[in-house]
Amino acid sequence: MARVVSLYLPRWPTDRLRRKSPGSAPPADVPLVLVGHDGSRRVVVAADRLAESAGLTVGMPATKAQALVPGLALLDADPAGDADALDRLAVWALRFSPLVAADQPDGIVVDTTGADHLHGGEEAMLRAIVDRFAAANLEVRVAVADTWGAAHAAARHAGAAMVLVEPGRTEHALARLPLAALRLPGRMRHDLHVLGFSTVGDLAAQPRAPLVQRFGPQLVRRLDQAFGAVSEPIEPVRSADLVEVRRVFGEPIAAPETLRRYVGKLAAELVAELERRAMGARRLDLLFSRVDNRWEAIRIGTAKPERDLRRLTRLLSDRIETIDPGFGVEVMTLAATHAQPLGASQVVSSLVEEPEADVSDLVDLLANRIGERRVYRFAPVASDVPERSVSRVEPMSLDDGASWDDHWPRPSRLLARPERVETMALLPDHPPVWFTWRGQRRRVRRADGPERVFGEWWKREAEATTVRDYFRVEDDAGERFWIFRAGDGEHPETGSHKWYLHGVFG
């Protein structure tokens, strides 16, 4: 089943202006509107949050807006610039899926069918989108649904920053949304309101013939597009800088072995072009244009810049089984949507010299099967606080030579969060005599410590006086644990003086 994500930028023109020209834009505490022409009148075409809270709306005459809000900043709108910038933003969004298009004038549509697992699932993907746009000072609302029309409607009219419409629940999710969710012309919406229709559910329950006779085919077509009865293909956005090759077929092809054969041919052409540009692919998108005007796509990623023909062909061919060619494929397009410089390298030519082990092939295989976010390695971070001393990095990222402090042993398994334990210690500097963890009481046979770890006051003011006292303990069964007391055991400002288990030694 297809899954489509709609990104809605409710204040795209004003947000873009502040982000593009922070020096020329008014201060953030000054209401801002953009004005354009409606015939001979100058009207408001976009307003920021402050202007909207002051009662200004799109379509209001500019002179009235100035009279209502003293000190209002008015700037000329740039529709062509906004449209071009939205196209560039859609190209940036290719990192989420191979099928992306600008949804003018204020959105982006992404077909994520089969690609959400690469981002940890649909909810994690939506959250990542919101976080990335927030980091760029752009307000965004996102929704995922079975169709473009349903996702478009939910993103703009469901009233939430993130909306996940479960598969098969489209009609239920759209039933209470206003008629504007169907992307109907303003005049048509007004006439429908006059007739007593106010929600999508009101229209969906009516016979189609009278609606077509009164309003024409557009109304019913929008309903069918939203509910999936009529397809609404996404024309993928493309950039002139992409390394891309394509093959157009005189007769549609559909057999898996035929598709695989042309995958190899396209990969050979792309590798030749990458070699000419001294580039290596980090992400490849293979698009299939079907005779029914629908698109199918395959995406693969690599752990490092790559242009090995056999490896890229194998990774692409392994995913052919996920493609539904329908009645046949007319065009196949292979693009390196993410490429990096890759020069020539010296190969081992001595009988004495040992070649370095290369696990990138295995990393690529795992990442494309289970998701790139699930394949990583740990790297040290300069921090005395254990849970902050490690970070996840790409599996093939360069080693900077950093290492963990080896003055004190560290457990082979560090818990995601310290877990509360019940225990008893004779004196503040003494290890516990026993402790109870996960319902099991253990008597401490041997112990070493304490190792005192101080809080990082430069990160949080609350940590200026906090400490932890860590102990390595061994129970009667020979199992070893890493436990700590929050505080020094004497002064209340140093911590709660409760005990926690933080790790297990192998």
Side-chain angles (χ1 to χ4, degrees):
M1 180 177 291
R3 296 294 281 171
V4 181
V5 172
S6 177
L7 288 72
Y8 170 46
L9 302 161
R11 297 173 182 84
W12 166 240
T14 54
D15 286 350
R16 169 181 169 261
L17 179 65
R18 292 190 186 277
R19 183 170 177 265
K20 176 187 174 184
S21 307
S24 59
D29 58 349
V30 175
L32 168 66
V33 297
L34 302 181
V35 297
H37 288 85
D38 181 11
S40 59
R41 299 190 310 153
R42 295 181 76 239
V43 298
V44 174
V45 296
D48 67 0
R49 187 179 295 277
L50 286 177
E52 289 181 350
S53 63
L56 305 186
T57 58
V58 174
M60 177 182 291
T63 52
K64 182 178 179 180
Q66 282 182 300
L68 290 175
V69 182
L72 176 67
L74 284 84
L75 298 176
D76 290 332
D78 181 15
D82 292 337
D84 290 342
L86 194 63
D87 285 337
R88 292 194 298 273
L89 197 60
V91 172
W92 171 87
L94 282 170
R95 66 188 60 204
F96 296 107
S97 171
L99 299 175
V100 179
D103 191 2
Q104 299 288 353
D106 53 13
I108 297 172
V109 59
V110 184
D111 188 332
T112 61
T113 306
D116 59 285
H117 74 283
L118 298 175
H119 306 282
E122 288 185 337
E123 184 175 354
M125 179 178 61
L126 296 185
R127 194 170 302 281
I129 292 173
V130 172
D131 291 344
R132 285 181 178 271
F133 275 77
N137 295 322
L138 291 174
E139 182 182 354
V140 66
R141 300 175 194 168
V142 294
V144 59
D146 292 340
T147 65
W148 180 351
H152 183 280
R156 287 157 177 79
H157 300 281
M162 284 175 38
V163 181
L164 199 158
V165 179
E166 297 293 339
R169 301 279 292 173
T170 299
E171 294 189 17
H172 178 269
L174 299 187
R176 298 183 180 181
L177 298 186
L179 296 179
L182 292 177
R183 298 173 288 174
L184 300 174
R187 181 64 184 175
M188 186 181 297
R189 295 200 306 269
H190 176 268
D191 293 344
L192 288 167
H193 280 297
V194 171
L195 294 176
F197 298 105
S198 59
T199 66
V200 175
D202 294 340
L203 278 180
Q206 299 301 312
R208 298 298 180 87
L211 293 177
V212 174
Q213 186 176 5
R214 173 67 176 82
F215 296 100
Q218 183 181 11
L219 173 59
V220 174
R221 185 174 68 252
R222 286 302 193 192
L223 274 172
D224 289 340
Q225 286 175 340
F227 295 144
V230 174
S231 64
E232 189 174 7
I234 296 173
E235 188 65 31
V237 67
R238 279 293 173 262
S239 169
D241 298 331
L242 288 181
V243 184
E244 185 177 80
V245 294
R246 68 198 306 261
R247 182 68 64 95
V248 181
F249 304 105
E251 293 290 336
I253 62 173
E257 58 272 15
T258 306
L259 295 174
R260 285 191 174 90
R261 184 168 69 253
Y262 281 102
V263 165
K265 294 180 179 181
L266 285 173
E269 295 177 22
L270 187 74
V271 166
E273 181 62 22
L274 288 171
E275 188 171 1
R276 189 184 68 82
R277 301 190 188 189
M279 304 288 287
R282 289 294 309 275
R283 183 172 63 232
L284 291 181
D285 289 342
L286 180 58
L287 306 181
F288 302 82
S289 177
R290 303 186 345 179
V291 296
D292 58 358
N293 204 26
R294 288 185 56 186
W295 290 86
E296 295 282 327
I298 290 174
R299 163 165 288 183
I300 65 166
T302 59
K304 61 181 183 180
E306 188 63 63
R307 58 170 181 258
D308 182 271
L309 177 58
R310 293 180 60 185
R311 181 184 299 189
L312 296 179
T313 302
R314 187 182 75 249
L315 291 174
L316 289 167
S317 298
D318 286 347
R319 302 289 305 282
I320 287 293
E321 60 192 26
T322 66
I323 295 301
D324 177 13
F327 295 107
V329 174
E330 291 183 314
V331 183
M332 286 175 60
T333 305
L334 181 61
T337 51
H338 183 197
Q340 293 177 344
L342 178 62
S345 60
Q346 178 68 43
V347 298
V348 174
S349 59
S350 170
L351 295 178
V352 179
E353 188 177 359
E354 291 288 339
E356 295 185 3
D358 184 9
V359 298
S360 61
D361 196 7
L362 175 61
V363 170
D364 293 342
L365 185 64
L366 293 174
N368 286 285
R369 286 186 178 180
I370 66 176
E372 57 185 17
R373 291 179 177 269
R374 298 183 180 181
V375 182
Y376 53 86
R377 69 177 180 86
F378 291 114
V381 177
S383 176
D384 288 333
V385 180
E387 58 266 36
R388 298 175 185 165
S389 64
V390 63
S391 66
R392 294 182 180 183
V393 298
E394 293 185 358
M396 300 302 296
S397 59
L398 295 177
D399 188 356
D400 59 4
S403 62
W404 285 280
D405 188 357
D406 59 357
H407 294 316
W408 291 86
R410 289 290 184 261
S412 55
R413 177 192 170 199
L414 191 70
L415 301 184
R417 295 181 182 85
E419 296 185 11
R420 182 85 165 84
V421 296
E422 297 296 332
T423 185
M424 181 184 70
L426 299 179
L427 293 172
D429 288 340
H430 284 208
V433 178
W434 54 266
F435 67 94
T436 302
W437 177 51
R438 295 182 178 177
Q440 183 176 354
R441 180 164 175 160
R442 303 171 185 266
R443 189 169 70 89
V444 175
R445 184 177 180 182
R446 295 184 180 89
D448 186 20
E451 174 195 354
R452 178 157 292 181
V453 173
F454 293 89
E456 297 176 337
W457 53 266
W458 56 92
K459 291 186 177 179
R460 290 197 310 166
E461 187 177 349
E463 297 185 25
T465 59
T466 58
V467 299
R468 291 179 184 175
D469 283 343
Y470 279 87
F471 293 86
R472 284 184 300 143
V473 301
E474 181 179 320
D475 66 5
D476 288 332
E479 295 184 90
R480 293 182 297 157
F481 304 91
W482 205 37
I483 64 177
F484 72 86
R485 179 186 56 237
D488 60 5
E490 299 183 64
H491 303 94
E493 66 272 11
T494 61
S496 65
H497 295 165
K498 295 179 180 179
W499 288 82
Y500 298 86
L501 191 144
H502 203 169
V504 180
F505 290 89

